[in-house]
Amino acid sequence: MICNVVMAGGMAHLADQLATGKKLRDCVAEMYKTNRHVIFTGNGYSAEWPEEAKKRGLPNLNTTPKALATFNSAKNKAIFKKLKVYEADETDARAEVMYENYNTTLAIEAKTMIHMMETGILPACAKDLQKYTNCKALVGDREQVYGSIKAGTQKLKEVLSKVPHSIQEEATYYCDVVKPQMVALREVVDTTEGLLESGLYPYPTYETLLYSHHH
C-alpha cells in the first residue's frame, strides 16, 4: 500500500505540474533534480548505502518502531488524505493498530521463549549434567553454559517486567531492550545444542527439519 501511495503521489504531483501548462520534459527534469538525492545505483543491501544516505540527509528507518513513528506524520496524513486513502484520524488509528500488533507479537515471542527455556531447555540441561556425575573430566564447560541459560532467562523476565505503558515507548523498549536479550539468550542455547546429548534436546534442530525426510 505504501509503495502504491508513493507512486500515486508522484504521478499526482506530475499531473499538477502539467496542469499549469509546463512541458512534460521540463516537469520530469524538475522532479528529477528535486529528488535525485534519493537515487542510489549501488548495492542497496550493503553497508555502503546507509552511510551514503546519512550523508545525503535521508532517514534510515531500519526498525519497526522508527518506521511507525513517522507513519502518521503531518506530511503522510496530507498525502493519504489527498489521494483519498485515509483521513487523518484513520491514519492515527492505523498507526495504533500496527503498534499494538508489533508489541503483542514481541510480548508473545518473549514469553514463549521463557516457557521454552523453563519447560524444555533447562530440564534437558539438568539431565545432561547428571550423566557426568561420575566423570567430571568430561563435563567441559557445560555447567557454565547451562548456567548462562538460567541467568539469561531470568534477565529476560526482568526486562519484560519493566515494559513501559505508552504504546510508542513500549514498541521502542521491545525493539531496543527485549529483542537484544532474546538474541543473547538464543546464542547461548545455540551453543547448548552442540553440547547436549542429541536425544535430550527437546525441540527439532535445523538438521532434523532439513534432513529428516531422508531417513
Side-chain angles (χ1 to χ4, degrees), residues 58-187:
L58 300 175
N60 182 17
L61 308 178
N62 58 352
T63 68
T64 297
K66 288 180 181 179
L68 290 180
T70 67
F71 182 82
N72 58 343
S73 65
K75 179 181 179 181
N76 288 349
K77 285 181 178 179
I79 190 63
F80 284 146
K81 183 176 179 62
K82 179 180 179 180
L83 298 178
K84 299 182 179 181
V85 177
Y86 292 133
E87 292 294 332
D89 57 344
E90 291 176 322
T91 304
D92 288 332
R94 181 63 178 167
E96 184 173 345
V97 168
M98 289 190 288
Y99 270 118
E100 287 285 1
N101 181 64
Y102 180 81
N103 295 343
T104 301
T105 299
L106 264 294
I108 291 173
E109 289 180 352
K111 291 175 183 178
T112 299
M113 188 176 203
I114 291 172
H115 180 75
M116 292 173 71
M117 296 303 106
E118 294 185 332
T119 64
I121 298 296
L122 287 173
C125 290
K127 291 179 181 178
D128 190 57
L129 282 177
Q130 287 179 347
K131 295 178 179 294
Y132 295 90
T133 302
N134 298 321
C135 46
K136 293 292 186 180
L138 298 179
V139 74
D141 57 356
R142 284 175 173 79
E143 289 184 335
Q144 179 183 353
V145 174
Y146 298 170
S148 296
I149 296 176
K150 176 63 177 176
T153 301
Q154 183 59 38
K155 185 174 181 180
L156 182 55
K157 284 183 176 181
E158 291 173 1
V159 297
L160 273 179
S161 69
K162 300 176 183 178
V163 175
H165 297 297
S166 164
I167 194 170
Q168 292 88 355
E169 292 178 358
E170 183 180 354
T172 300
Y173 185 86
Y174 272 118
C175 182
D176 296 344
V177 180
V178 176
K179 282 185 67 177
Q181 178 55 30
M182 293 174 68
V183 170
L185 181 54
R186 164 66 187 275
E187 290 175 351

